[in-house]
Amino acid sequence: MLHARSTLNKILLIFAAMAGVEFFFFYRRLNTVSSAIDKESQLSRSLGSILTDSRIHLVFLAVFLILTILLTLNGYEFKGKISYTIRRLSIAEKCYFFLQGLYYSGVYLLFLMFQIFLIFLLSTYYFRAVPESYYSNQTLFTLFYSNDFLHSLLPLEE
């Protein structure tokens, strides 16, 4: 709880900022494609190309680095003496280390799940914005196989 209390609000703020930035990039790229559809251009209109061109993977990487820095700096004693508090607790240091690792692993797992959820939201927005002739009922499923970034987030068969 000591680590969760000191990092949870910052993590949620980072997640909200990530969602806003990814939606902005996706929306901007989708509007470019939609205006090209109106002009009957041969611009690529698939969901995969929009996700790739909107550079969501770079936002994911930046947030991953920010999360890592936040969680790493949380254990340092800049302001208070966390080590004194830990030693006064009635748990062993090995147990504390295990619980800290479990919390940090949970944060990264939550980060991956949140990114997958954002992809589903962006896909839903795409399906409502473009004509039905540009996608099928298997578009998102096959996209997680064909797109390298999405496949690394959710490797369905592997």
Side-chain angles (χ1 to χ4, degrees):
M1 291 306 292
L2 181 67
H3 286 282
R5 182 174 45 95
S6 63
T7 59
L8 192 59
N9 290 337
K10 296 172 190 171
I11 289 170
L12 293 177
L13 184 65
I14 290 170
F15 284 0
M18 178 179 82
V21 170
E22 285 186 4
F23 182 75
F24 172 73
F25 286 165
F26 184 83
Y27 179 77
R28 187 179 62 177
R29 181 64 187 148
L30 185 62
N31 279 346
T32 304
V33 169
S34 295
S35 64
I37 289 172
D38 294 339
K39 296 176 185 175
E40 297 186 21
S41 173
Q42 294 301 320
L43 189 62
S44 179
R45 299 172 191 98
S46 71
L47 177 60
S49 66
I50 292 173
L51 283 172
T52 303
D53 293 344
S54 62
R55 307 282 189 241
I56 288 177
H57 59 281
L58 296 178
V59 176
F60 177 82
L61 175 65
V63 171
F64 179 80
L65 292 175
I66 291 170
L67 270 179
T68 302
I69 291 169
L70 175 72
L71 294 176
T72 303
L73 292 179
N74 185 43
Y76 287 113
E77 298 180 352
F78 292 121
K79 296 178 184 175
K81 297 293 181 185
I82 298 174
S83 61
Y84 293 151
T85 305
I86 301 305
R87 282 188 234 136
R88 288 191 320 220
L89 294 175
S90 61
I91 60 171
E93 286 188 33
K94 287 182 181 181
C95 183
Y96 166 74
F97 178 75
F98 175 73
L99 291 174
Q100 181 183 9
L102 187 66
Y103 171 70
Y104 288 172
S105 299
V107 167
Y108 283 115
L109 183 63
L110 183 66
F111 174 57
L112 287 174
M113 290 188 315
F114 185 71
Q115 180 62 54
I116 292 169
F117 177 72
L118 281 177
I119 296 297
F120 282 119
L121 285 179
L122 293 173
S123 302
T124 303
Y125 184 75
Y126 169 83
F127 294 146
R128 292 184 180 167
V130 299
E132 288 185 25
S133 61
Y134 293 112
Y135 62 90
S136 70
N137 58 356
Q138 295 292 316
T139 299
L140 189 59
F141 183 72
T142 57
L143 187 61
F144 274 95
Y145 278 105
S146 61
N147 188 305
D148 290 336
F149 171 63
L150 297 182
H151 188 72
S152 66
L153 286 178
L154 187 64
L156 296 173
E157 190 173 297
E158 297 168 1

